[in-house]
Amino acid sequence: MNIKQRTEELYPQLVRIRRELHQHPEPGFKEHWTSAYICGLLDEWGISYEFPVAGTGIVAMIQGEKPGSGNTVALRADMDALPLTEDISRPFCSLHPGHMHACGHDAHVAIALGTARILMESRSEWSGCVKFFFQPAEETTGGALPMVEAGCMESPHVDYVTGLHVMPTHETGEIEIRYGDLNASSDEIHIKVHGKSCHGAYPDTGVDAIVMAAAVINSLQTLVSRCISPLDSAVLTLGTIHGGTAGNIVAAETEMTGTLRTTDPAVREKIIDAMTRQVSCTCQAMGGSGEVVIVPGYAALINSDEIVDVLVETAEEVLGSQHIHPKKFPSLGVEDFSFFLEKAKGVFYHLGCANREKGITAPLHSQDFDIDEECLKLGVQLQAQLALKLLKRDIA
């Protein structure tokens, strides 16, 4: 099959799919209309699928019919929307007030569906299996890990996994890639400091939890600057602090919450260990006690270098080498595609969707966000050709 030609033929349908999805944005784990819409198209095209998976998720599967053995490749598309109100003057604006596809997940689903149709129509030309993960809740608590726990990476076992995200910092016709770490891990931090309450006029009879908290905050500011190599990326932010009941009473307890972002699992563990130790020791030295509770969030997204090489090869064929842009530094934002990469080699990359001539430049997560729909064609070509290369790649 001539993938470029077939994508051009499917382009009007890709636009229609994207716009219909755009009109029906839904929050995480409530993507009921979206799931039904996707299942309807899969039924129409004769593509088998499992639903529900992890709530509102879908795992579609296409088996190649060419004689021989091939790998199993998975392609992921997230489905959920954001709690934003869109400009109603747009011809295909959101029909759900208070929700909007402001992160391009409508485009991700349209690209995945277009890729699925092309691979279904060309299945006599390739061997192996291609799965499509239509994932809920990327924007909230994360739907990737529940899908992994539900078994999406098995039966058959996934050898390679790919994903993309539209990116308005790059023009349509360009992609942004990064070898190794692309996105940070995230951890929610809860710190509780215990002292002893007393009258504010007699502080010597108590243990001031607010003073201890101040000492803890100052101590933790040295973690990144003095415990972590300046060549590594890490951010520790304490965003809330609550303590005390009245201005003339020494506080018995203070609570703080924050976030930890790192791009290296070893750095993540080192900071958590050091933070737990410093909170405990600082409080003990002042006559109180302290504890740290870590609520794990998303894992760091670390691309497989050899699969990035395959993406580069594919993009050179589709776009030309001059349109491939290496990302210099990782982002300390998070992306739960990381959980798929913990189970298989793969790559996640950014697909340019801006068009300055058309005025399409608004950032992600803004009420003015839009895409140049020409990027849908390129996304389908890239994902389809990348999948075909991975299907026949030798597994080391």
Side-chain angles (χ1 to χ4, degrees), residues 59-61 71-76 129-133 148 151-162 337 340-346 390 395:
V59 175
M61 187 161 60
N71 299 321
T72 297
V73 179
L75 287 73
R76 178 271 211 154
C129 177
V130 181
K131 293 182 175 183
F132 293 85
F133 300 156
V148 171
C152 73
M153 298 294 286
E154 304 300 331
S155 302
H157 174 74
V158 173
D159 299 302
Y160 302 109
V161 59
T162 78
F337 184 82
F340 300 120
L341 285 174
E342 289 186 333
K343 299 296 183 180
K345 293 182 178 181
L390 294 176
I395 299 176

Side-chain angles (χ1 to χ4, degrees), residues 159-162 177-181 302-314 341 344-348 386 389-390 393-396:
D159 299 302
Y160 302 109
V161 59
T162 78
I177 66 165
R178 181 168 172 81
Y179 289 86
D181 53 354
I302 302 175
N303 280 325
S304 308
D305 288 354
E306 62 267 44
I307 310 306
V308 179
D309 284 339
V310 181
L311 170 63
V312 169
E313 178 186 330
T314 304
L341 285 174
K345 293 182 178 181
V347 62
F348 191 80
L386 178 58
K389 288 180 183 293
L390 294 176
R393 183 177 187 271
D394 290 336
I395 299 176

Side-chain angles (χ1 to χ4, degrees), residues 189-194 209 211-223 236 238 254-256 271-294:
I189 302 165
H190 296 264
I191 300 173
K192 187 174 289 188
V193 171
H194 304 281
V211 173
M212 277 195 293
V216 164
I217 292 170
N218 286 331
S219 172
L220 295 183
Q221 298 310 303
T222 67
L223 281 182
L236 173 60
L238 295 177
T254 303
E255 296 184 18
M256 294 165 277
I271 292 179
I272 291 173
D273 288 345
M275 180 177 8
T276 302
R277 184 173 59 252
Q278 285 189 206
V279 169
S280 176
C281 292
T282 300
C283 293
Q284 285 181 20
M286 300 179 72
S289 63
E291 60 196 44
V292 179
V293 175
I294 302 295

Side-chain angles (χ1 to χ4, degrees), residues 14 28 85 103 119 153 163 192 201 204 220 237 245 249 255 264 289 314 344 378 388 395-396:
L14 293 175
T85 298
C103 201
L119 292 178
M153 298 294 286
K192 187 174 289 188
D204 56 304
L220 295 183
T237 296
T245 57
I249 299 175
E255 296 184 18
D264 185 315
S289 63
T314 304
L378 299 175
L388 291 172
I395 299 176

